[in-house]
Amino acid sequence: MGSRVSREDFEWVYTDQPHADRRREILAKHPEIKSLMKPDPSLIWIIIMMVLTQLAAFYFVKDLDWKWVIFWAYAFGSCINHSMTLGIHEIAHNSAFGNRKAMWNRWFGMFANLPIGIPYSISFKRYHMDHHRYLGADGIDVDIPTDFEGWFFCTTFRKFIWVILQPLFYAFRPLFINPKPLTYLEVINTVAQVTFDILIYYFFGIKSLVYMLAASLLGLGLHPISGHFIAEHYMFLKGHETYSYYGPLNLLTFNVGYHNEHHDFPNIPGKNLPLVRKIAAEYYDNLPHYNSWIKVLYDFVMDDTISPYSRMKRQRTGEMVLE
């Protein structure tokens, strides 16, 4: 193990945009990739089936013992709810109905949000677009952990706790880094979600409501799928800020593991990202990548040289256009 990491090891000034540069090169060499920039109608039906599946689960757990409620929340519901957040990620990129029907995507995102239990979809869209436009920008990209997170969660045990609490940090970090004024769509998202939660409690009872919320908290915390949070942009190798994952969990996560490909072409649905890699193999095959998110979580917790500080950070340059 090396010495403990500090912010100075990673807080560099980068004004380049590697994803934009690579996108230009790839499109110049492989213009056929433009044909993949279209909506994915199958996403609509997959999301509807996932919502219906969780509704069925709410019914089946309502009379179970508490130990089985929590067991199924982690063993089954967590996979569905985490996958649903990544479905919302796809919807945020207008992959369901296309850019010409942007509001249809916003309403559908609120529908997909329902089994998660916490209003999320509209706010995620606003902050996630900043993440793509200004990757790693200090004070803008809320995917970057705060200085407190990097300072405090620096030991093996504390990093383990940080992984468990990831959903809370993702929820509250924007309020400290880049607070935005409330929009009417966020109000509608919240009202719709609270109404849905009340209806679940009224018709199915407290156990179904706890199952729903526990599935989200457990699924976004210490869970194999949650390895993508760390795998995507934490620099296990200095100089490489984005990493792809090519393992089997892509089947549950709308191919979010193809993360270099996604940042290069954010307007291509996850369904088509493996084709991007296949067409432009000379650009992706030699990039460092992962085959196990579980190993990423283990290495992050156990390696003293890696911490929440291990992110590439850019200073703000030029005029920023924020939503």
Side-chain angles (χ1 to χ4, degrees):
M1 296 292 182
S3 59
R4 186 173 296 166
V5 72
S6 66
R7 169 64 76 193
E8 287 71 25
D9 290 322
F10 289 93
E11 191 169 354
W12 309 327
V13 178
Y14 269 68
T15 57
D16 63 306
Q17 293 293 334
H19 293 291
D21 294 340
R22 186 162 58 222
R23 176 167 59 249
R24 282 191 291 269
E25 287 186 29
I26 291 175
L27 286 177
K29 189 173 181 179
H30 300 287
E32 65 271 24
I33 283 180
K34 293 180 181 179
S35 67
L36 303 177
M37 300 175 183
K38 57 186 178 182
D40 175 17
S42 68
L43 179 65
I44 300 169
W45 302 108
I46 293 171
I47 292 293
I48 291 173
M49 290 304 300
M50 290 170 69
V51 171
L52 293 177
T53 297
Q54 278 296 65
L55 284 175
F58 297 157
Y59 173 79
F60 287 123
V61 304
K62 67 185 180 68
D63 297 320
L64 295 180
D65 290 340
W66 278 109
K67 63 181 179 182
W68 291 111
V69 172
I70 301 303
F71 171 81
W72 287 114
Y74 187 80
F76 179 77
S78 62
C79 298
I80 296 291
N81 280 13
H82 196 139
S83 180
M84 189 66 82
T85 67
L86 296 169
I88 290 172
H89 167 257
E90 288 286 291
I91 296 167
H93 285 282
N94 294 336
S95 293
F97 296 98
N99 293 323
R100 294 183 180 180
K101 296 181 178 179
M103 281 304 300
W104 288 35
N105 290 284
R106 302 293 77 74
W107 298 120
F108 191 58
M110 294 185 209
F111 170 76
N113 197 151
L114 294 177
I116 296 173
I118 301 167
Y120 161 83
S121 175
I122 300 300
S123 297
F124 173 79
K125 158 74 175 177
R126 300 178 73 197
Y127 283 104
H128 188 65
M129 294 305 102
D130 291 344
H131 171 66
H132 276 276
R133 294 185 186 119
Y134 311 112
L135 178 63
D138 189 16
I140 296 175
D141 184 359
V142 298
D143 197 56
I144 299 286
T146 61
D147 283 333
F148 169 78
E149 291 172 72
W151 169 76
F152 185 77
F153 296 100
C154 58
T155 67
T156 297
F157 177 73
R158 291 179 185 178
K159 286 190 289 182
F160 179 74
I161 298 300
W162 184 81
V163 169
I164 294 174
L165 298 178
Q166 274 192 107
L168 298 181
F169 287 112
Y170 271 94
F172 292 106
R173 192 185 295 146
L175 302 178
F176 295 96
I177 294 181
N178 185 17
K180 296 176 182 284
L182 196 66
T183 67
Y184 82 96
L185 283 177
E186 286 173 303
V187 173
I188 294 173
N189 191 183
T190 300
V191 171
Q193 188 63 60
V194 171
T195 301
F196 178 80
D197 294 353
I198 292 172
L199 290 173
I200 292 300
Y201 174 74
Y202 179 80
F203 286 106
F204 296 136
I206 188 64
K207 290 181 179 179
S208 296
L209 184 62
V210 169
Y211 165 87
M212 174 171 60
L213 297 174
S216 296
L217 291 174
L218 295 173
L220 295 167
L222 187 62
H223 192 280
I225 297 177
S226 293
H228 81 86
F229 289 130
I230 294 170
E232 290 167 359
H233 297 296
Y234 283 78
M235 287 197 292
F236 285 80
L237 297 174
K238 280 192 177 183
H240 293 277
E241 67 175 319
T242 304
Y243 300 79
S244 288
Y245 156 84
Y246 299 129
L249 290 178
N250 277 310
L251 295 173
L252 298 178
T253 58
F254 301 93
N255 285 328
V256 75
Y258 288 77
H259 217 65
N260 268 302
E261 295 85 347
H262 172 60
H263 271 268
D264 290 350
F265 299 98
N267 54 342
I268 293 181
K271 178 182 178 180
N272 291 333
L273 292 178
L275 290 176
V276 172
R277 184 194 180 199
K278 182 178 180 180
I279 293 170
E282 69 273 26
Y283 288 91
Y284 296 112
D285 285 353
N286 293 324
L287 293 177
H289 60 270
Y290 303 111
N291 294 306
S292 170
W293 277 335
I294 294 176
K295 187 176 187 303
V296 169
L297 289 171
Y298 178 84
D299 289 345
F300 175 82
V301 170
M302 300 303 295
D303 189 339
D304 290 340
T305 67
I306 303 296
S307 84
Y309 271 149
S310 305
R311 293 289 297 264
M312 192 173 287
K313 210 174 174 188
R314 291 176 170 85
Q315 286 186 347
R316 306 186 198 192
T317 58
E319 183 178 349
M320 301 293 180
V321 180
L322 305 179
E323 291 193 1

